[in-house]
């Protein structure tokens, strides 16, 4: 049995607490001595938990996938998943700010997967979220398990399909796991259903329950690693900014930032994703996998705002352990805690969801009675595994009809029974209690795994969603492979009747920023704008978008053709978007040159790299704050048109010219191929401000140490006061900015130097007020649905009470709003 326990941690392994009844016929021993022989178990079975014989026929595959397993690990995962989803609903799913997202009657453009999907009225949306929350709590507690799964699943996918701008891989994963749990027997361990129905408590679950979940997590890791086998990731361009995060400071003690970026951020992420599934799979490597995977997800929880995803992935790791690990874990807890802890009993019950191997020969149970009269020295332990088989109770009724002389035959019959044993097992294979539900479980497992392996590479079907990344990002597992920055976004409308041309503020009528990168969302946005603009006396509007994007530190370039009226432009999910501009991958080698150029600049000089297509032009306005702005051509040929001066300058590679501040200019690409140029400028206003702030800082230091002897003018008197009111009383705007920044720096320093207790208190306070608002607003909505709307004054008081926040939380939000402190 030791060899079988070694294989138990694999994807199709056995639990350490399984009896002989849980084994396939090939694993049933005749003698205890045979169980201890290493040659009785193949190397494949030791590593993977199954042998080639288990895959020899459809019936053996069904038997394997429905093999009885301990429900303990599945029950613990069910509890953790339900708990994390209940927390996630109030945060990333948006319950705490639902009234800001779904505004009744407001002119808002939305981006559902299917255009016919629309949000319900606000109070009913709160009801949808309440049903989803109750479903997640029901999953956690294992209470009315199937109903709870359906409550969570239907509402979750409705909300998921309702907003493509919120799509991401981990939200998609939550929906998949919810779907899987709906079909599984996740309520057979540590559940309220088990208390209500003792018949299912501690009952076996089929192996495919574990197989599907383990394979799903393996796919998440491995496909994410495959997607990172991309030149941009391998060369360190995808997430280069992460190397500057404080979490990587320990690595910077021995490596420069450039190597931390390439080796730790990108190299480490690639290796972990490719290997995590395999390391979790095998017993020998699983402890190391737990260490690295846990460290990885804890870092992600600090690097990104991705809600419960790191904790959900941590909760999936124990699924790869022996399925009875909770029993062994909780068995070591004090006895006084046993009533509230999961069961540690090893007494598992048979289940109709599983396939149990039948006894190979009916003579074995019939011979139990006579054999029991033989001396104990004659290998009595060989009978113990047989007596544990649950199926032995059925043929036991035939014992009175058995021929007793058989029992008087010499023990030499035992070796002779080994020869026909395998043949009779095959002959009785059809007698295995395989039912239609067992075949359905096996079919579902195989189809589901094949579908999940296919989906990340199905973008040749959904070609309309391919916009420099492959298809709908939310099911591709290409996590963090692409980093984008936007330099310029312009929306132009043209009145279809009058021909009037005007401009719209980017993002008007929408709360999302993601529409700028996806052709399908741009089509939805343009259609929505054309329907809203008639309210402003603009009819039959034509909408044009000029969007400049840099992906993975490349040139800023157009992603969509600015000459196309997107309202009337064709788009199909099954056809490539014809107005999508190609990514200029031929210019990717320029990124090394960018780094060299940026390394020669001082701290006050900024630079932007631009690439454009032949026949197009860039219209740009240089702010008055930007002085000494020049355009330098790197490749191709351009014409600089100064609009107000009505002058044109032709520039070729290596040439440059100044452009005036406070005025428009156009850059026309006239070369046969794409043009590449860069803007070099200095923010003179910011530079002058920095000089003034530095001067005030030195003055304040002299005042504090008593070296300043000259009297202060009235406008500088607030520098002597350290209270927050001093910045309000400051008459000089520069002094006011200086004092505000000083206060902010003190708050930042205080937060960073806070103790663990203070950080925990700040974290708990923030979460409390977030969750509190979600539940209070839900209660208000349910009251409105039940008895109607109250007076405006009462509703205002109730919402104000729900919006109440702690002082620490308010300070935190104020600091986040300040530029340069978003990492807080």
């Amino acid at each position: 049995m030791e060899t079988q326990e070694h294989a138990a941690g694999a994807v199709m392994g056995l639990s350490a607490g399984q009896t002989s009844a849980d084994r396939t016929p090939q694993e049933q021993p005749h003698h205890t001595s045979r169980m201890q022989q290493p040659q009785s178990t193949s190397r494949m079975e030791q590593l993977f938990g199954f042998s080639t014989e288990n895959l020899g026929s459809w019936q053996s595959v069904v038997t394997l996938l429905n093999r009885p397993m301990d429900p303990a690990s599945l029950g613990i995962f069910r509890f953790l998943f339900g708990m994390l989803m209940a927390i996630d609903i109030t945060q990333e799913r948006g319950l705490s700010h639902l009234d800001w997202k779904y505004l009744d009657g407001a002119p808002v453009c939305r981006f559902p997967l299917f255009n016919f999907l629309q949000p319900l009225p606000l109070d009913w949306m709160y009801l949808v979220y309440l049903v989803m929350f109750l479903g997640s709590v029901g999953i956690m507690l294992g209470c009315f398990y199937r109903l709870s799964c359906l409550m969570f699943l239907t509402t979750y996918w409705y909300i998921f399909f309702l907003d493509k701008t919120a799509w991401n891989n981990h939200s998609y994963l939550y929906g998949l796991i919810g779907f899987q749990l709906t079909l599984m027997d996740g309520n057979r361990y540590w559940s309220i259903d088990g208390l209500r129905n003792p018949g299912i408590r501690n009952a076996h679950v089929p192996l495919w329950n574990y197989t599907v979940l383990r394979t799903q997590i393996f796919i998440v890791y491995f496909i994410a690693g495959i997607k990172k086998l991309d030149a941009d990731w391998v060369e360190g361009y995808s997430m280069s900014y992460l190397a500057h995060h404080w979490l990587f400071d320990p690595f910077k003690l021995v490596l420069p930032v450039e190597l931390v970026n390439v080796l730790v951020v990108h190299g480490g992420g690639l290796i972990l994703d490719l290997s995590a599934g395999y390391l979790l799979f095998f017993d020998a490597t699983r402890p190391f996998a737990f260490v690295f995977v846990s460290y990885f997800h804890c870092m992600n929880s600090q690097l990104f705002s991705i809600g419960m995803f790191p904790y959900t992935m941590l909760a999936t790791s124990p699924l790869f352990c022996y399925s009875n690990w909770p029993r062994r874990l909780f068995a070591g807890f004090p006895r006084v805690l046993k009533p509230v802890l999961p069961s540690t009993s090893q007494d598992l019950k048979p289940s109709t969801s599983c396939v149990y191997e039948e006894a190979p020969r009916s003579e074995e149970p019939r011979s139990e009675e006579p054999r029991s009269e033989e001396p104990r020295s004659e290998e009595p332990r060989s009978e113990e595994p047989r007596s544990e088989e649950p199926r032995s109770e059925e043929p036991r009724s035939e014992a009175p009809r058995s021929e007793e002389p058989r029992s008087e035959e010499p023990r030499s019959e035992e070796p002779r029974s080994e020869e026909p044993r395998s043949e009779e097992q095959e002959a009785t294979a059809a007698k295995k209690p395989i039912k239609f539900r067992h075949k359905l479980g096996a079919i579902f497992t195989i189809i589901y795994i094949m579908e999940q392996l296919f989906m990340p590479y199905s973008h040749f079907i959904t070609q309309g969603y391919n916009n420099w990344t492959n298809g709908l990002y939310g099911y591709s597992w290409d996590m963090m492979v692409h980093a984008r920055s936007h330099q310029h976004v312009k929306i132009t409308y043209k009145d279809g009747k009058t021909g009037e041309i005007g401009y719209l503020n980017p993002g008007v009528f929408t709360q999302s920023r993601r529409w700028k990168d996806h052709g399908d969302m741009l089509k939805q946005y343009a259609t929505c704008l054309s329907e809203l603009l008639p309210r402003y006396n603009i009819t039959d509007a034509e909408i044009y978008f000029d969007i400049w994007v840099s992906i993975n530190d490349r040139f800023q370039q157009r992603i969509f053709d600015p000459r196309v009226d997107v309202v009337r432009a064709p788009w199909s999910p099954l056809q490539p978007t014809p107005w999508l501009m190609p990514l200029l991958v031929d210019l990717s080698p320029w990124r090394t040159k960018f780094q060299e150029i940026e390394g020669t600049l001082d701290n006050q000089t900024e630079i932007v790299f631009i690439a454009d297509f032949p026949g197009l032009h860039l219209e740009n306005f240089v702010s008055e704050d930007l002085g000494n702005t020049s355009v330098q051509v790197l490749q191709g040929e351009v014409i600089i048109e100064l609009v107000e001066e009505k002058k044109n300058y032709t520039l070729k590679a290596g040439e440059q010219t100044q452009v005036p501040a406070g005025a428009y200019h156009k850059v026309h690409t006239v070369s046969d191929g794409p043009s590449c140029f860069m803007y070099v400028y200095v923010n003179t206003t910011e530079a002058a401000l920095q000089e003034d702030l530095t001067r005030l800082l030195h003055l304040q230091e002299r005042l504090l140490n008593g070296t300043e002897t000259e009297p202060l003018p009235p406008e500088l008197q607030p520098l002597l006061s350290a209270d927050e009111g001093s910045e309000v009383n400051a008459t000089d705007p520069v002094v006011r900015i200086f004092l505000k920044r000083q206060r902010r720096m003190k708050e930042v320093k205080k937060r960073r130097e806070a103790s663990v207790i203070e950080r925990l208190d700040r974290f708990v306070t923030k979460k409390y007020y977030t969750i509190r608002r979600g539940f209070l607003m839900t209660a208000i909505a349910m009251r409105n649905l039940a008895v109607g709307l109250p007076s405006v004054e009462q509703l205002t008081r109730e919402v104000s009470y729900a919006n109440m926040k702690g002082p620490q939380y308010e300070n935190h939000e104020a600091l986040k709003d300040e530029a340069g402190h978003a990492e807080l």
Side-chain angles (χ1 to χ4, degrees), residues 87-240:
I87 299 173
D88 180 79
I89 288 169
T90 63
Q91 299 183 66
E92 194 173 12
R93 295 313 113 205
L95 178 61
S96 62
H97 55 273
L98 202 62
D99 53 326
W100 302 335
K101 187 173 183 179
Y102 299 105
L103 303 175
D104 287 343
V108 178
C109 296
R110 305 190 185 278
F111 305 92
L113 179 63
F114 307 106
N115 289 330
F116 65 84
L117 280 177
Q118 294 297 325
L120 301 173
L122 179 60
D123 289 340
W124 288 98
M125 288 301 298
Y126 272 107
L127 179 60
V128 170
Y129 272 74
L130 178 61
V131 171
M132 182 167 58
F133 177 80
L134 294 177
S136 63
V137 173
I139 292 174
M140 178 182 71
L141 300 178
C143 181
F144 298 103
Y145 176 68
R146 303 289 181 196
L147 177 61
S148 296
C149 286
L150 289 174
M151 290 168 59
F152 173 79
L153 190 66
T154 53
T155 52
Y156 185 91
W157 282 105
Y158 166 68
I159 293 170
F160 186 71
F161 288 147
L162 197 59
D163 186 11
K164 282 186 292 189
T165 64
W167 275 45
N168 51 49
N169 287 277
H170 62 266
S171 297
Y172 171 62
L173 177 64
Y174 298 161
L176 293 179
I177 293 178
F179 169 67
Q180 295 167 21
L181 289 177
T182 304
L183 304 179
M184 295 176 181
D185 299 322
N187 61 337
R188 300 195 173 184
Y189 183 76
W190 204 31
S191 68
I192 293 179
D193 286 350
L195 298 177
R196 294 171 49 247
N197 183 7
I200 68 171
R201 190 191 313 164
N202 269 354
H204 285 127
V205 297
L207 174 60
W208 68 262
N209 285 196
Y210 287 100
T211 302
V212 171
L213 283 170
R214 290 166 175 170
T215 306
Q216 181 69 76
I217 302 307
F218 179 89
I219 288 174
V220 171
Y221 283 118
F222 188 69
I223 298 298
I226 293 295
K227 294 298 184 78
K228 287 181 175 62
L229 292 175
D230 176 83
D232 286 0
W233 183 276
V234 174
E235 295 175 9
Y237 291 108
S238 296
M239 295 284 118
S240 57

Side-chain angles (χ1 to χ4, degrees), residues 259-328:
L259 288 182
V260 171
N261 172 49
V262 175
L263 298 181
V264 180
V265 176
H266 291 86
L270 172 63
I271 293 172
L272 188 137
D273 279 338
L274 286 176
S275 62
Y278 293 101
L279 296 177
L280 288 168
F281 188 96
F282 297 105
D283 289 356
T285 57
R286 193 173 302 115
F288 303 100
F290 277 171
V291 173
F292 291 119
V293 167
S294 299
Y295 180 68
F296 174 74
H297 291 302
C298 289
M299 288 186 67
N300 283 342
S301 68
Q302 299 299 310
L303 288 171
F304 309 107
S305 299
I306 49 179
M308 294 294 105
F309 178 59
Y311 310 104
T312 303
M313 292 304 292
L314 287 174
T316 63
S317 297
L319 284 171
F320 291 85
C321 297
Y322 296 93
S323 60
N324 72 336
W325 68 264
R327 302 182 192 276
R328 291 181 288 166

Side-chain angles (χ1 to χ4, degrees), residues 695-760:
R695 178 178 58 83
L696 291 176
L697 178 62
H698 293 162
L699 176 60
Q700 188 182 53
E701 291 175 350
R702 292 196 302 270
L703 291 172
L704 293 176
N705 58 31
T707 58
E708 179 62 35
T709 58
E710 297 182 3
L712 290 178
E715 63 271 15
L716 297 181
Q717 290 293 330
L719 293 176
L720 297 173
S721 178
D723 59 3
E724 296 184 6
S726 59
E727 70 183 58
V728 178
N729 299 326
T731 57
D732 191 308
V734 177
V735 174
R736 189 181 303 113
I737 293 174
F738 173 79
L739 294 174
K740 187 176 182 179
R741 291 193 178 188
Q742 289 292 99
R743 181 177 63 85
R744 189 192 314 135
M745 291 173 63
K746 290 180 181 179
E747 290 291 337
V748 171
K749 182 179 180 181
K750 180 181 178 181
R751 293 177 64 85
R752 288 180 173 174
E753 295 178 353
S755 64
V756 175
I757 300 299
E758 291 173 333
R759 290 173 181 265
L760 180 62

Side-chain angles (χ1 to χ4, degrees), residues 621-634:
F621 178 82
V622 179
S623 172
E624 295 179 352
D625 294 332
L626 307 180
N628 195 27
T629 302
S630 63
V631 177
Q632 180 176 340
V633 178
L634 303 174

